[in-house]
Amino acid sequence: MNQVQKLLIIGFVWPEPNSSAAGGRMMQLISLFKAQGFNVTFASPAQNSDFMVDLQEYEVDKKSIELNNSSFDFFIKELNPSVVLFDRFMMEEQFGWRVAENCPDALRLLDTEDLHCLRFSRQKAFKENRLFKTTDLFVEEIAKREIASILRCDLSLMISEFEMELLESVFKIDPSLLYYLPFLLEPIDGAQMQELPTFEEREGFVFIGNFLHEPNWNAVQYLKDTIWPLIKKSLPEAVLNVYGAYPSQKVLQLHNKKESFLIMGRAIDAQEVVQEALVVLAPLRFGAGIKGKLLEAMQCGTPSVTTFIGSESMHGDLPWNGFITDDVADFVDRAVQLYQDKTIWGKAKKNGIEIVNKRYSKGLFETDFSTKIEFLCSNLQQHRLNNFMGSILQHHTLKSTKYMSRWIEEKNK
């Protein structure tokens, strides 16, 4: 790639890799583009946070931008990026029309993170105490908005093969608009495996997850009310440490020292607390995408017990680094088994390392992704001609977004 190419990332929030998997994912994408020779600018309308990464340390320019403000138009014209990456569909809705007007030749990428409409619909079905059906997706406004955003962009980056298949089969999205790019990790070699804490050097169970994410909060409630009391009956001395960024008061109120159910809050070093544990518990009952907490467990050599939603699209045909079950009694039995049986634990640990190396090693994706971006940049006009539905949506839906934004801008003056 040309060394002077510019990438503009329009972020929903400033990256916080120590707070969420989404933050880690964003830093991986930045690294990927910088390795291709891009100069990277990260812009966001979000407020600064105490835990945001210092982008200057990664040689990334930081720019605060405003919603519904034509100052963005002047900014992007001057920057003139060759590629624009929208961090989640909401940013494409807000800024996509401005990018299209001011930099029409810029390649427009969407990083979906996970399919928000899938997560939302599953959550709604769960709360209504019924099974999720794919037809649930069609009645939700969020699905219409998200699919429109995918169609308007030149390429959407997907972390889940299941979600790619869903988009192609249910929503009839052309495969040329989708690109599988999961979390990108360094492979784990034999020497690194030897450095991981042994079975004897670990203790307790752990759960970790950002509490701004509803599936995590629900999983912790499920642990507290249903699963942990049963594990505790079999393992009276066991402790469950619950870590997560942004715990609310209702989360903190679950802390119970007598029950060894300990709300620890934000982990200063997530990998350290996961490496110290014998088993990760992740009884996720709804959600989407692939789960950073479970991938982190594999990196740390820590077996996990999770649900079919938790493991969705993560391990392909490879055996899980522990157990997958939706049954409460089986979940408890498997957790106790991993906690007590060194042989089963050791096999699960090796399974996790294999999943990391065979499915998430960044070397598997770097070259192909670079080739894809280079090809699209060189053949953008033809690529867009092949996406007529996208051009229709670009013309109609973003006109309404544009004039609403203009109205708000005038109103704010």
Side-chain angles (χ1 to χ4, degrees):
M1 301 295 290
N2 192 315
Q3 289 294 317
V4 298
Q5 291 217 58
K6 297 177 184 176
L7 166 70
L8 171 64
I9 301 173
I10 304 179
F12 182 67
V13 294
W14 301 108
E16 292 186 23
N18 292 326
S19 299
S20 69
R25 157 75 166 183
M26 181 52 68
M27 297 311 296
Q28 291 165 11
L29 291 177
I30 288 172
S31 175
L32 198 61
F33 276 101
K34 287 194 71 65
Q36 293 180 29
F38 278 87
N39 290 334
V40 180
T41 299
F42 193 103
S44 177
Q47 297 292 315
N48 289 347
S49 77
D50 293 335
F51 303 101
M52 59 190 280
V53 74
D54 184 356
L55 291 168
Q56 286 188 334
E57 288 186 11
Y58 298 87
E59 298 181 331
V60 173
D61 293 330
K62 177 178 178 289
K63 172 71 175 179
S64 291
I65 53 178
E66 291 185 45
L67 297 171
N68 306 308
N69 195 307
S70 56
S71 60
F72 178 85
D73 302 342
F74 299 107
F75 157 67
I76 195 169
K77 272 184 181 176
E78 184 177 355
L79 183 66
N80 193 27
S82 44
V83 180
V84 176
L85 173 66
F86 301 103
D87 171 27
R88 287 165 267 202
F89 80 91
M90 298 81 81
M91 291 296 95
E92 190 277 337
E93 280 187 329
Q94 290 288 339
F95 294 99
W97 68 270
R98 293 185 183 274
V99 172
E101 279 197 356
N102 294 287
C103 292
D105 296 329
L107 178 68
R108 297 189 294 269
L109 305 179
L110 172 64
D111 187 39
T112 58
E113 293 288 352
D114 60 20
L115 269 186
H116 290 62
C117 62
L118 177 62
R119 171 158 46 88
F120 181 84
S121 296
R122 281 175 168 171
Q123 180 176 330
K124 185 178 179 183
F126 173 81
K127 291 190 173 180
E128 292 174 357
N129 198 28
R130 61 177 177 81
L131 293 175
F132 162 78
K133 309 182 296 295
T134 53
T135 51
D136 292 338
L137 294 166
F138 292 112
V139 299
E140 297 299 336
E141 179 186 330
I142 192 171
K144 297 177 177 67
R145 292 169 55 199
E146 190 166 25
I147 299 305
S149 183
I150 288 169
L151 285 167
R152 285 191 298 262
C153 288
D154 299 310
L155 193 70
S156 290
L157 309 181
M158 309 295 300
I159 62 172
S160 164
E161 292 157 315
F162 171 81
E163 291 175 10
M164 286 185 70
E165 292 167 8
L166 187 75
L167 289 172
E168 291 174 24
S169 62
V170 175
F171 293 106
K172 311 304 180 187
I173 302 295
D174 192 299
S176 68
L177 299 178
L178 306 174
Y179 187 85
Y180 177 60
L181 192 69
F183 291 121
L184 307 167
L185 308 177
E186 296 291 344
I188 302 169
D189 60 27
Q192 289 169 305
M193 280 188 68
Q194 293 297 318
E195 292 175 3
L196 293 170
T198 64
F199 181 85
E200 293 80 10
E201 291 170 334
R202 299 167 181 249
E203 61 180 1
F205 294 88
V206 69
F207 173 91
I208 189 163
N210 188 320
F211 286 110
L212 296 178
H213 194 55
E214 182 68 20
N216 290 334
W217 162 234
N218 180 269
V220 169
Q221 287 178 297
Y222 190 32
L223 279 168
K224 179 71 164 61
D225 297 337
T226 305
I227 294 173
W228 184 245
L230 297 173
I231 292 177
K232 196 69 174 160
K233 280 185 181 179
S234 297
L235 302 169
E237 302 303 315
V239 173
L240 173 58
N241 292 311
V242 177
Y243 287 91
Y246 302 106
S248 64
Q249 191 58 40
K250 63 183 180 180
V251 175
L252 297 173
Q253 285 174 352
L254 297 182
H255 182 86
N256 191 314
K257 196 169 184 180
K258 186 178 179 182
E259 297 173 4
S260 303
F261 192 94
L262 308 179
I263 305 296
M264 308 299 289
R266 178 185 292 271
I268 297 173
D269 186 331
Q271 289 215 345
E272 183 178 318
V273 301
V274 175
Q275 278 191 19
E276 290 173 350
L278 267 168
V279 181
V280 167
L281 302 177
L284 299 160
R285 293 189 283 183
F286 52 84
I290 56 177
K291 314 307 180 292
K293 63 176 67 59
L294 293 173
L295 205 48
E296 188 168 58
M298 296 175 197
Q299 289 178 284
C300 294
T302 310
S304 65
V305 187
T306 191
T307 58
F308 285 95
I309 286 285
S311 66
E312 183 177 85
S313 208
M314 287 196 65
H315 61 116
D317 296 327
L318 299 173
W320 189 250
N321 73 320
F323 297 101
I324 303 165
T325 178
D326 287 338
D327 181 77
V328 172
D330 192 38
F331 193 102
V332 170
D333 289 345
R334 297 302 193 179
V336 171
Q337 191 177 24
L338 277 172
Y339 195 83
Q340 292 182 321
D341 194 317
K342 179 180 177 180
T343 302
I344 294 174
W345 185 93
K347 185 177 180 182
K349 173 184 175 179
K350 289 181 180 177
N351 288 346
I353 302 296
E354 186 176 19
I355 291 170
V356 169
N357 287 343
K358 290 187 175 180
R359 286 185 59 85
Y360 299 99
S361 175
K362 71 176 184 179
L364 299 172
F365 302 95
E366 283 177 310
T367 301
D368 187 75
F369 182 65
S370 176
T371 302
K372 183 72 172 181
I373 297 302
E374 191 169 2
F375 174 82
L376 286 177
C377 286
S378 301
N379 298 273
L380 191 53
Q381 185 176 1
Q382 184 60 49
H383 181 73
R384 288 178 177 170
L385 287 174
N386 295 339
N387 179 24
F388 187 65
M389 287 301 296
S391 66
I392 291 174
L393 289 167
Q394 194 75 42
H395 178 76
H396 287 288
T397 61
L398 280 192
K399 284 290 190 291
S400 61
T401 307
K402 170 182 176 178
Y403 291 118
M404 174 60 77
S405 181
R406 293 292 194 205
W407 179 81
I408 294 172
E409 185 175 353
E410 288 300 316
K411 185 172 176 285
N412 288 339
K413 286 181 179 177

